[in-house]
Amino acid sequence: MARFCACLSPTTQQARAHVEAMGAAGTGRASVDVPGAALGLITDEPGRADGPFTAFGLTAVGEVTLHNRPALLSALHAEGHPVPAHCSDGELLLRCWARLGDAGVALAEGMFVLAVLDGTDLILIRDHVGARTLFYARAEGAWTASTSLRALRRWPALGTSMNLSAVRSFLTFAYLPGEETLLTGVREVLPGRVLRLAEDGAVTETVHWEPHEHIAEPVPQDPTEHVLALRALLEQATAERLPEAEPAAVLLSGGIDSSLVTALATKLHSHPVHTYSISFGDELPNELGYSGLVAAHCHTRHRVLNVSGKTVASRLAEAAALLDSPVGDPLTVPNLLLAETVAADGASVVLNGEGGDPVFGGPKNLPMLVQEMHREAGAPWDEDRATAYLRSYRKCWTDLPTLLTPQTLDALRDAPRPQRFVEPYLAPGIDSPHRMGHLLNQLLHCNLRTKGAHHILTKVERLTASQGIEGRAPLFDRRVVDHAFATPPTYKLRGSAEKWILKEAVRDLLPDTVVDRPKSGMRVPVQQWLTGPLRDLGNDLLLSRQSAHRGLFRPDTIRAWMKGEGTLLPRHGGKLWLVLTLELWLRSYAL
């Protein structure tokens, strides 16, 4: 288990020194026979890194899991390039890139990042939806890239510090929605992209995949063809992600998304299916009745993990430190505990139902749809879509003037607006590659490229990898996503029925009670935690000398929030949770 780092520098000696400084020393694989370059594995961090490997004169290192090897092997064979039977997933992807270019990467389906040495250039490749992450930076005439943000933090040549712009973005979104990271000078490769980093510092980006809207007109009255096509793709995506020769593990919340993955796994797998749910206590609203119903219906071995506030308080710092970018999601610790439980049961792979909302139209789009219905151009209360989108998140964006210190606000005065992350999708130009005609698809595209890639998938990947298992999301399959954007929006949001086509595609596999129930979500007792087991921790951290010295937050605002005062309710717990999560993450990175 390892992460990787790569360096392109004026001399080979410098490149090796940079890689060693990032933590790859002693791996025995920290150098390659490419002048001015070095590749290495960081063995003290959990990940799937492999390499270096070579093909067609190129050398690479990567974290690569492919779900459609037969299709890639066939494509290479058709081009006259048969592949050795022992070829690893990383080497196979390198061969696809070397022989087929961007089209070869686009053909791949899986979870991958790849760093390729191509002459005097360093090529960085990230998968379609962002299932794995990759960061890069430049200093002292050298390019470095790593799947570990912590490794770049250790790079002395970079001398990185806290990025205030990213602090504001995190407090606005509860994650970082684009290229920026919380480290100055470090950027994240966007999903679906190929970056070429040249020796002279030039950066060239190409897109190997971006979803496009392909809606046939007129819309057919009978949706059967779309429903059946989606069902076939769901079965293919699930089957390709099932583990070989072992039981399948599925995280089952009781909602339609995780329930359909459970049902498909049961139908398609030749081994038993084990399901896992979490509970915060019987006194809170939960979905355990539905998850239990699905488990009984599908005949799975089902386990319910009870999570207490005391446990969350004791593990929160650990969970925050495992993430390369903070995620203000109160389910982070429960997700980590689930990963531990699955790993303890001997599984190597765990499936989940993530992806249904950002791809097929979950309830989080409703505030924006309602806002659009009632827009009145020129009215005092009217605001553009991007600003309305930020407001709909209901995080700390509107509280920033009273949350951040005057000096922090002054330092951010000329920084780019957070709206820039969503404007390409919600207000695209006429010739924009992101342009989609239907508002629902614009919202889904935005959700996919921001929350999907930078919150959902990265959280799942980092937490499961920390336990030596691999989290896989069939609903984020690139072919499923393509089908979603070729589906008429009226099939996704049909009257008041959300994700209608997704439900119809699996209606025969699940009880109607599960398929037709409205989405309720899991009630996480954040407020109880913050006034109970996390109260002392929150006070000690957020009102500490270290936090005050950093100078981000106004102590009077933090004190009021800790007491539940002011106009913060009813989102009091969630907003305070963001601040606490950020504080823990900054401490873990010594910022």
Side-chain angles (χ1 to χ4, degrees):
M1 301 296 288
R3 300 288 181 197
F4 74 74
C5 56
C7 182
L8 193 66
S9 192
T11 70
T12 301
Q13 183 178 4
Q14 290 173 341
R16 290 177 178 174
H18 291 320
V19 165
E20 290 174 358
M22 289 190 290
T27 66
R29 310 177 79 176
S31 63
V32 294
D33 295 328
V34 178
L39 303 173
L41 302 186
I42 305 168
T43 56
D44 61 350
E45 293 192 39
R48 297 277 175 171
D50 184 32
F53 34 79
T54 61
F56 304 110
L58 302 177
T59 303
V61 65
E63 295 192 37
V64 182
T65 299
L66 298 175
H67 301 316
N68 65 335
R69 281 182 61 97
L72 302 181
L73 293 170
S74 177
L76 286 171
H77 189 271
E79 293 293 324
H81 302 291
V83 177
H86 63 275
C87 179
S88 68
D89 280 1
E91 182 184 337
L92 178 55
L93 185 63
L94 175 61
R95 287 174 176 271
C96 288
W97 158 251
R99 294 296 89 187
L100 305 174
D102 286 4
V105 176
L107 182 62
E109 177 58 48
M111 311 159 62
F112 56 82
V113 285
L114 195 68
V116 184
L117 296 173
D118 183 6
T120 59
D121 293 345
L122 177 62
I123 312 298
L124 305 180
I125 300 171
R126 188 176 180 190
D127 64 65
H128 307 72
V129 294
R132 292 205 167 116
T133 47
L134 181 58
F135 308 94
Y136 67 102
R138 183 170 176 82
E140 295 185 354
W143 283 112
T144 59
S146 180
T147 46
S148 164
L149 191 70
R150 201 174 294 277
L152 291 168
R153 170 66 171 149
R154 290 192 292 259
W155 188 28
L158 185 60
T160 190
S161 59
M162 181 176 63
N163 180 2
L164 277 180
S165 176
V167 168
R168 182 174 64 180
S169 297
F170 173 74
L171 294 171
T172 298
F173 290 90
Y175 59 92
L176 296 182
E179 291 181 314
E180 70 177 351
T181 72
L182 276 162
L183 302 184
T184 56
V186 180
R187 302 179 73 81
E188 180 178 332
V189 180
L190 292 178
R193 279 17 179 211
V194 176
L195 291 188
R196 181 176 290 271
L197 309 180
E199 188 178 30
D200 62 2
V203 180
T204 305
E205 179 185 85
T206 59
V207 179
H208 69 77
W209 179 82
E210 187 69 37
H212 293 282
E213 185 180 59
H214 297 291
I215 309 298
E217 297 290 350
V219 174
Q221 294 297 310
D222 184 356
T224 302
E225 183 177 345
H226 280 276
V227 172
L228 293 178
L230 176 58
R231 171 60 172 269
L233 289 171
L234 291 172
E235 292 200 5
Q236 179 183 22
T238 303
E240 289 178 348
R241 286 163 174 79
L242 290 169
E244 295 183 9
E246 68 177 63
V250 184
L251 302 184
L252 175 60
S253 70
I256 182 62
D257 303 332
S258 62
S259 296
L260 73 87
V261 171
T262 299
L264 287 170
T266 304
K267 176 178 184 289
L268 300 170
H269 203 35
S270 57
H271 295 267
V273 175
H274 299 170
T275 49
Y276 301 81
S277 299
I278 54 178
S279 170
F280 300 114
D282 295 336
E283 67 276 9
L284 290 171
N286 59 62
E287 298 185 299
L288 292 178
Y290 292 103
S291 61
L293 176 62
V294 173
H297 180 79
C298 296
H299 305 289
T300 71
R301 191 206 69 173
H302 190 53
R303 292 186 62 178
V304 177
L305 182 65
N306 293 300
V307 178
S308 68
K310 183 177 180 180
T311 301
V312 171
S314 67
R315 303 294 298 275
L316 185 56
E318 175 192 353
L322 288 171
L323 302 174
D324 284 297
S325 294
V327 172
D329 182 350
L331 283 172
T332 302
V333 171
N335 290 157
L336 175 60
L337 298 175
L338 279 172
E340 285 182 346
T341 302
V342 172
D345 284 347
S348 63
V349 169
V350 59
L351 275 61
N352 60 68
E354 302 285 10
D357 286 352
V359 175
F360 288 98
K364 290 182 174 58
N365 300 288
L366 293 181
M368 284 295 296
L369 294 173
V370 171
Q371 189 264 357
E372 194 71 17
M373 288 171 57
H374 296 284
R375 284 193 70 180
E376 188 174 327
W381 60 83
D382 187 41
E383 56 189 5
D384 61 89
R385 282 182 183 173
T387 301
Y389 190 88
L390 299 192
R391 191 181 302 280
S392 74
Y393 263 75
R394 301 178 69 194
K395 303 303 180 184
C396 292
W397 184 60
T398 57
D399 304 289
L400 295 179
T402 56
L403 173 61
L404 299 179
T405 60
Q407 59 266 35
T408 299
L409 291 170
D410 186 63
L412 288 168
R413 193 176 309 279
D414 297 323
R417 303 186 316 152
Q419 286 91 332
R420 72 189 187 278
F421 295 113
V422 300
E423 284 171 340
Y425 310 101
L426 302 179
I430 190 68
D431 297 322
S432 170
H434 302 298
R435 185 172 182 82
M436 292 193 179
H438 294 266
L439 176 58
L440 180 60
N441 283 341
Q442 292 176 13
L443 293 169
L444 296 181
H445 192 192
C446 186
N447 295 342
L448 175 73
R449 283 316 202 193
T450 55
K451 187 172 184 177
H454 301 284
H455 171 183
I456 299 172
L457 286 167
T458 186
K459 180 188 71 169
V460 169
E461 196 277 333
R462 289 311 196 225
L463 294 178
T464 54
S466 74
Q467 304 305 311
I469 60 177
E470 195 170 69
R472 299 177 180 177
L475 296 181
F476 272 116
D477 183 280
R478 177 252 309 166
R479 297 155 297 192
V480 172
V481 176
D482 281 337
H483 184 273
F485 286 106
T487 297
T490 51
Y491 292 171
K492 287 179 280 193
L493 185 59
R494 198 168 180 85
S496 61
E498 299 153 352
K499 298 186 285 191
W500 180 84
I501 189 172
L502 188 63
K503 297 174 180 178
E504 291 304 305
V506 296
R507 181 169 291 279
D508 62 307
L509 297 177
L510 293 164
D512 288 343
T513 305
V514 173
V515 175
D516 295 324
R517 62 177 287 245
K519 183 179 179 70
S520 60
M522 183 174 296
R523 177 78 176 274
V524 184
V526 175
Q527 191 69 42
Q528 293 182 22
W529 294 343
L530 290 169
T531 56
L534 280 169
R535 181 181 178 85
D536 291 342
L537 178 65
N539 276 304
D540 291 345
L541 291 175
L542 299 178
L543 298 174
S544 67
R545 182 178 301 176
Q546 181 176 347
S547 180
H549 179 74
R550 195 183 297 116
L552 280 179
F553 306 120
R554 291 177 50 169
D556 56 333
T557 299
I558 295 298
R559 288 191 184 95
W561 286 18
M562 291 296 295
K563 295 177 182 178
E565 297 175 350
T567 59
L568 197 59
L569 297 175
R571 303 291 292 182
H572 159 242
K575 293 182 179 185
L576 192 56
W577 184 269
L578 287 190
V579 178
L580 179 58
T581 300
L582 177 62
E583 176 69 25
L584 286 167
W585 189 94
L586 291 172
R587 288 180 180 230
S588 76
Y589 274 73
L591 289 170

